[in-house]
């Protein structure tokens, strides 16, 4: 085997290893169940939930799910104070953002889960687009 053939072989082997590693990492990420994501249809009583809207402030001001509280990672302390005024421990919290491509709801739900030490904090799969009658104030 010539030196150039060895280099090509090593490059191919290295690329194969990288692909396998990426596949394994991707497999873990893609197939891991997200126990804190919830769909609208899974909510037995949507009225007995504290809704948290993490979309941009202008979107919230224009329209939000009835009773939803605004919370932003940029102004966390002020938003959290307002949210805590309406939250009773034991009341489930569901966080929503713009839709499937938005990870803000996951990040906020995770942070709320840590800070409030509650297991009943979820993010809404599909976000704003899944809420019936969206456009309410």
């Amino acid at each position: 085997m010539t030196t150039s053939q060895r280099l090509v072989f090593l490059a191919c082997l290295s690329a194969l290893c990288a692909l396998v590693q990426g596949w394994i990492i991707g497999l873990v990420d893609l197939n891991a169940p997200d126990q804190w994501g919830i769909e609208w249809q899974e909510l037995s009583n949507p009225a007995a939930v504290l809704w948290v809207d993490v979309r941009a402030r202008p979107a919230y001001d224009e329209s939000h799910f009835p009773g939803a509280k605004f919370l932003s990672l940029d102004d966390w302390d002020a938003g959290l104070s307002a949210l805590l005024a309406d939250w009773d421990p034991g009341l489930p919290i569901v966080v929503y953002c713009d839709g499937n491509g938005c990870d803000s709801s996951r990040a906020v739900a995770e942070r709320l889960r840590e800070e409030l030490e509650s297991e009943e904090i979820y993010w809404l799969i599909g976000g704003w687009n899944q809420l019936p009658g969206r456009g309410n104030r």
Side-chain angles (χ1 to χ4, degrees):
M1 191 180 254
T2 67
T3 303
S4 61
Q5 288 175 325
R6 286 185 191 143
L7 288 174
V8 169
F9 175 75
L10 288 174
C12 290
L13 185 59
S14 181
L16 179 61
C17 289
L19 285 173
V20 169
Q21 181 182 12
W23 176 74
I24 290 171
I25 291 170
L27 182 64
V28 170
D29 289 343
L30 293 176
N31 292 330
D34 187 339
Q35 61 188 358
W36 310 120
I38 193 165
E39 294 191 24
W40 173 262
Q41 297 82 358
E42 295 178 78
L43 295 168
S44 58
N45 186 2
V49 168
L50 179 58
W51 291 93
V52 176
D53 188 323
V54 296
R55 298 174 304 143
R57 184 67 196 219
Y60 174 83
D61 288 342
E62 181 180 319
S63 180
H64 55 270
F65 196 68
K69 304 301 173 194
F70 177 75
L71 184 58
S72 167
L73 288 169
D74 295 332
D75 192 12
W76 183 261
D77 293 334
L80 184 60
S81 293
L83 182 114
L84 290 176
D86 293 327
W87 181 68
D88 293 316
L91 179 66
I93 295 174
V94 178
V95 182
Y96 68 89
C97 58
D98 285 323
N100 286 332
C102 176
D103 287 329
S104 298
S105 57
R106 287 183 194 205
V108 168
E110 185 175 321
R111 186 165 175 186
L112 285 172
R113 182 177 293 282
E114 291 171 7
E115 291 193 21
L116 302 181
E117 298 177 353
S118 174
E119 294 294 311
E120 296 230 38
I121 300 174
Y122 309 93
W123 61 274
L124 185 64
I125 297 171
W128 172 250
N129 296 325
Q130 298 306 306
L131 294 169
R134 63 181 188 251
N136 297 320
R137 289 192 176 261

